[in-house]
């Protein structure tokens, strides 16, 4: 149990008089509260979903009051394993509790309470963020009118859990991990975090996208018959791994991947998603991407099926895209048209 | 939908009005190949139906969503696996039958998912079409607007063909409406009707 916690959040647009135009953006594994725009004097620090969220964009901040937050357990300002435990004066580290998707949604609901938002116009998320959006419809059916679950799944498959486990093992077996209390040793399990991110990154891209971008290109144009970086893809992955390891907290990574693994709305319904989704009252837009194999279109159909069973209003779009799981973060005219068309209707409900 | 939109749709697509007459208020419907969602929206507005469309075209998906119609993106030729047995009162296939590849399987799927099926299709036996073929050319008309080389219509049929198919596949026709434009055709329908709408269920 945490004695107390802080959540860092950002808002865009204006909350209308009856507080009916709020949209909550739930972030995925490495996301945070800085969803859109830039900070003064930091032109390069652009929000992670800036192409989607903003004035006149598909998630239109001229019409909606959009909230982005850093989830509990995160490492971008909200209370997480790297935060100081007020009782000990030391970072929580290994003593930070395991957080679930359900916990996140409860903490997000408290944030909504604090902002005076009784009901969200929409809760939107991609990947792990989509799971939070789904959980909103189940935990607080009266508090959300629309759910947009993008490149997501109702629960992870064995293969997906397996990827997460390998990533976690990379961190857990790093000698610098120190059982999660590496902060006191003034080290970070960089090697483990790098490997975890490299593995993750492979699964976020499609085979074709990788082939197009890197092929078998060699950095020096010839084989060197050694174990240094030779292929461009190796260079790219290591760069991505290093970049990630320089700012992301390893304990947060462990915690987030565990939250992914545990999430299963049908856990208390004998595995039956039809029964689990009987509680939902929202309307749904489910979106998947053809080349996404980490959260494949089939996983999105597993969200759609129980919604059909329960006769919820639901639309499903399968976007043809070459970018794999990362597609949900990319600018794509048709994908954006779908989100825009849906949210324009939501906006007209709000204005009415 | 505004009242004049409803009239416009009924005028442009006379099969819509025929279909709407057969569907009781508040029925659940699945519209296969729903296009931009016009029929579903028409039925929602005029009959208060609850339902979903199935469509493969990206552009139509956006139109359906803009039309406020539930739409599931799927290829009809891969079946209706997302839908449970007997989960709809009606499964409709409006002006799409002739463009499906696995037509017989799809009709069976319609009757697995729905208690009744409704199809509308252009009658290839319509006299103008026959005349075209007799004169040596494939017909091109408002019902069949494609040239032979770019048509999606791979399974065109006449009313007689469709009815023989039903008999052979244990499909019981409940009602038929044959039209040319907005006019109902009762005399020599296989010759004088340009479009047909059928309502059917599983044969006993």
């Amino acid at each position: 149990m945490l004695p107390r916690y802080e959540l860092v959040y950002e808002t865009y647009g204006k909350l209308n008089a009856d507080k009916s135009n709020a949209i909550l953006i739930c972030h995925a594994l490495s996301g945070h509260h800085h969803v859109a725009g830039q900070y003064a004097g930091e032109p390069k620090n652009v929000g992670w979903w800036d192409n989607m969220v903003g004035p006149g964009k598909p998630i239109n901040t001229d019409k909606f009051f959009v909230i982005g937050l850093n989830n509990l357990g995160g490492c971008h300002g909200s209370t997480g394993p790297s935060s100081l435990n007020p009782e000990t004066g030391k970072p929580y580290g290994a003593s930070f509790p395991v957080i679930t998707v359900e916990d996140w949604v409860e903490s997000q609901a408290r944030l909504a309470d604090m902002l005076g938002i009784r009901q969200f116009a929409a809760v939107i998320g991609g990947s792990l963020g989509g799971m939070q959006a789904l959980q909103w419809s189940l935990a607080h059916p009266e508090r959300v009118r629309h759910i947009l679950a993008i490149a997501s799944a109702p629960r992870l498959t064995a293969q997906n859990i397996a990827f997460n486990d390998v990533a976690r093992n990379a961190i857990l077996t790093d000698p610098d991990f120190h059982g999660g209390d590496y902060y006191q040793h003034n080290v970070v399990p960089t090697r483990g975090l790098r490997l975890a991110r490299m593995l993750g990154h492979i699964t976020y891209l499609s085979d074709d996208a990788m082939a197009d971008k890197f092929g078998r290109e060699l950095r020096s144009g010839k084989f060197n018959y050694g174990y240094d970086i030779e292929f461009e893809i190796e260079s790219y992955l290591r760069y991505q791994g290093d970049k990630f390891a320089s700012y992301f907290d390893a304990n947060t990574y462990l915690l987030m991947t565990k939250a992914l693994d545990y999430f299963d709305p049908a856990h208390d319904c004998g595995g039956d998603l039809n029964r689990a989704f009987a509680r939902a009252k929202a309307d749904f837009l489910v979106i998947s991407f053809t080349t996404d194999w980490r959260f494949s279109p089939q996983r999105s159909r597993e969200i759609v099926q129980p919604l059909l069973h329960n006769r919820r209003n639901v639309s499903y779009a399968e976007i043809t895209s070459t970018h794999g799981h990362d597609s949900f973060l990319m600018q794509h005219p048709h994908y954006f048209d779908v989100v825009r068309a849906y949210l324009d209707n939501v906006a007209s409900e709000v204005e009415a | 939908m505004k009242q004049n939109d409803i009239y416009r749709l009924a005028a442009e697509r006379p099969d819509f009005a025929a279909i709407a007459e057969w569907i009781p208020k508040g029925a659940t419907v699945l519209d296969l190949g729903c296009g931009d969602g016009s029929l579903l929206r028409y039925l929602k507005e005029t009959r208060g139906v609850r339902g979903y469309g199935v469509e493969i075209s990206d552009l139509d998906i956006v139109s359906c969503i803009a039309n406020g119609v539930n739409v599931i993106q799927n290829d009809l030729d891969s079946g209706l696996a997302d839908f449970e047995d007997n989960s709809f009162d009606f499964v409709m296939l409006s002006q799409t039958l002739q463009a499906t590849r696995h037509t017989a399987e799809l009709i069976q799927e319609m009757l697995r998912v729905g208690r009744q099926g409704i199809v509308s299709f252009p009658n290839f036996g319509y006299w103008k079409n026959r005349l075209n073929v007799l004169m040596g050319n494939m017909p091109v008309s408002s019902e069949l607007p494609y040239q032979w080389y770019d048509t999606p219509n791979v399974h065109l049929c006449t009313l007689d063909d469709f009815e023989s198919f039903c008999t052979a596949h244990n499909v019981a026709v409940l009602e038929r409406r044959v039209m040319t434009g907005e006019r109902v055709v009762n005399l020599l329908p296989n010759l004088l009707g340009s479009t047909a709408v059928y309502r059917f269920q599983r044969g006993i």
Side-chain angles (χ1 to χ4, degrees):
Chain A
M1 283 284 279
L2 286 172
R4 60 196 160 102
Y5 60 86
E6 290 176 11
L7 293 179
V8 56
Y9 66 96
E10 277 182 20
T11 70
Y12 318 86
K14 271 202 179 118
L15 190 60
N16 62 5
D18 61 356
K19 302 187 175 183
S20 62
N21 70 332
I23 287 182
L24 177 69
I25 307 284
C26 301
H27 70 73
L29 199 62
S30 60
H32 44 70
H33 54 288
H34 186 33
V35 174
Q38 303 140 351
Y39 302 130
E42 292 180 54
K44 284 195 172 162
N45 191 358
V46 181
W48 59 268
W49 219 5
D50 189 67
N51 54 17
M52 181 68 93
V53 181
K57 293 179 184 175
I59 302 176
N60 190 347
T61 54
D62 289 336
K63 294 178 175 174
F64 293 107
F65 177 68
V66 177
I67 304 169
L69 85 162
N70 184 212
N71 276 342
L72 184 58
C75 54
H76 291 91
S78 292
T79 303
S82 56
S83 308
L84 290 184
N85 180 345
E87 281 165 18
T88 63
K90 289 183 197 160
Y92 283 101
S95 71
F96 198 85
V98 169
I99 303 278
T100 61
V101 170
E102 288 85 339
D103 295 329
W104 281 333
V105 168
E106 286 320 299
S107 64
Q108 290 159 2
R110 290 188 188 182
L111 175 62
D113 292 341
M114 208 195 72
L115 296 170
I117 295 159
R118 206 201 68 75
Q119 188 188 55
F120 282 108
V123 177
I124 303 176
S127 191
L128 175 56
M131 289 175 160
Q132 293 160 58
L134 294 179
Q135 175 62 20
W136 260 97
S137 75
L138 303 179
H140 299 287
E142 313 284 349
R143 296 194 68 176
V144 56
R145 294 196 298 280
H146 297 272
I147 301 292
L148 279 72
I150 304 169
S152 194
R155 52 192 169 198
L156 293 192
T157 59
Q159 186 196 48
N160 227 321
I161 294 171
F163 280 126
N164 282 341
D165 188 48
V166 174
R168 280 193 298 269
N169 259 290
I171 294 168
L172 294 168
T173 57
D174 187 319
D176 287 337
F177 182 64
H178 295 288
D181 291 319
Y182 45 88
Y183 314 99
Q184 282 117 290
H185 295 82
N186 290 318
V187 289
V188 280
T190 309
R191 278 162 292 183
L193 197 51
R194 265 176 74 204
L195 279 174
R197 185 59 171 181
M198 286 166 75
L199 171 69
H201 217 89
I202 296 168
T203 70
Y204 304 151
L205 297 176
S206 69
D207 192 10
D208 285 348
M210 237 189 229
D212 281 352
K213 204 166 172 183
F214 307 104
R216 293 181 49 83
E217 289 298 310
L218 293 163
R219 288 223 302 181
S220 65
K222 62 179 176 58
F223 291 156
N224 292 319
Y225 300 101
Y227 297 109
D228 287 336
I229 298 172
E230 288 188 73
F231 290 94
E232 285 293 352
I233 181 62
E234 297 176 301
S235 161
Y236 172 78
L237 278 180
R238 290 188 205 196
Y239 169 76
Q240 289 294 337
D242 285 340
K243 195 173 81 171
F244 186 73
S246 71
Y247 72 83
F248 207 83
D249 180 60
N251 280 319
T252 290
Y253 197 91
L254 295 176
L255 178 151
M256 298 257 177
T257 58
K258 257 332 227 197
L260 267 165
D261 292 359
Y262 286 131
F263 184 63
D264 179 3
H267 185 70
D268 296 326
C269 299
D272 184 355
L273 287 167
N274 288 344
R275 266 172 63 202
F277 277 94
R279 272 175 291 166
K281 292 204 162 106
D283 295 349
F284 290 77
L285 174 64
V286 179
I287 297 176
S288 72
F289 299 90
T290 48
T291 53
D292 183 352
W293 56 281
R294 185 81 195 253
F295 286 80
S296 72
Q298 184 50 35
R299 302 283 88 75
S300 281
R301 290 182 179 278
E302 287 163 14
I303 300 172
V304 172
Q305 283 155 7
L307 296 172
L308 289 172
H309 175 86
N310 287 292
R311 301 233 176 266
R312 299 317 315 156
N313 282 320
V314 53
S315 284
Y316 169 64
E318 197 168 299
I319 313 285
T320 303
S321 165
T322 53
H323 291 105
H325 188 52
D326 270 351
S327 299
F328 86 91
L329 295 167
M330 305 279 190
Q331 187 119 20
H332 182 298
H334 173 54
Y335 166 38
F336 279 33
D337 284 348
V338 167
V339 175
R340 187 189 301 275
Y342 192 88
L343 289 179
D344 280 354
N345 282 343
V346 177
S348 57
E349 287 168 17
V350 169
E351 283 154 6
Chain B
M1 196 183 318
K2 292 192 195 85
Q3 201 62 33
N4 50 2
D5 283 349
I6 294 174
Y7 293 138
R8 182 182 53 74
L9 273 176
E12 280 174 13
R13 292 289 304 271
D15 56 324
F16 282 15
I19 291 171
E21 275 177 40
W22 289 342
I23 292 188
K25 282 206 154 51
T28 55
V29 300
L30 182 64
D31 184 8
L32 305 178
C34 65
D36 64 3
S38 297
L39 174 57
L40 267 175
R41 195 168 159 197
Y42 180 80
L43 293 174
K44 228 168 103 173
E45 299 292 327
T46 58
R47 313 303 288 170
V49 303
R50 273 185 79 80
Y52 305 87
V54 177
E55 181 51 62
I56 190 167
S57 141
D58 284 350
L59 276 179
D60 283 332
I61 295 290
V62 176
S63 303
C64 284
I65 291 172
N67 267 327
V69 161
N70 293 319
V71 64
I72 307 297
Q73 191 160 24
N74 200 3
D75 180 0
L76 291 182
D77 279 321
S78 64
L80 302 175
D82 290 337
F83 300 97
E84 296 170 348
D85 294 1
N86 292 314
S87 52
F88 291 92
D89 297 325
F90 296 93
V91 180
M92 309 181 298
L93 189 65
S94 164
Q95 301 294 339
T96 306
L97 182 75
Q98 73 281 359
T100 59
R101 207 162 287 276
H102 307 293
T103 310
E105 290 84 348
L106 184 60
I107 298 272
Q108 297 303 338
E109 274 287 86
M110 287 174 74
L111 290 177
R112 173 184 69 79
V113 169
R115 281 173 276 281
Q116 291 188 10
I118 294 175
V119 299
S120 68
F121 58 88
N123 175 22
F124 202 74
Y126 181 47
W127 67 272
K128 285 188 181 173
N129 296 336
R130 296 192 197 194
L131 192 62
N132 270 304
V133 175
L134 202 64
M135 300 299 281
N137 294 104
M138 288 298 282
V140 179
S141 63
S142 57
E143 279 94 6
L144 297 168
Y146 303 99
Q147 295 291 339
W148 65 270
Y149 50 83
D150 68 357
T151 181
N153 298 331
V154 291
H155 284 149
L156 288 162
C157 67
T158 70
L159 306 196
D160 283 356
D161 292 334
F162 182 73
E163 287 169 23
S164 316
F165 167 88
C166 290
T167 310
H169 289 82
N170 195 30
V171 172
V173 172
L174 300 170
E175 214 168 341
R176 179 183 79 176
R177 170 82 61 98
V178 184
M179 288 173 297
T180 300
E182 286 178 73
R183 192 169 49 83
V184 174
V185 175
N186 292 317
L187 180 74
L188 298 173
N190 197 36
L191 185 64
L192 301 179
S194 66
T195 296
V197 195
Y198 284 85
R199 186 162 65 87
F200 54 88
Q201 67 184 23
R202 255 183 303 267
I204 303 150

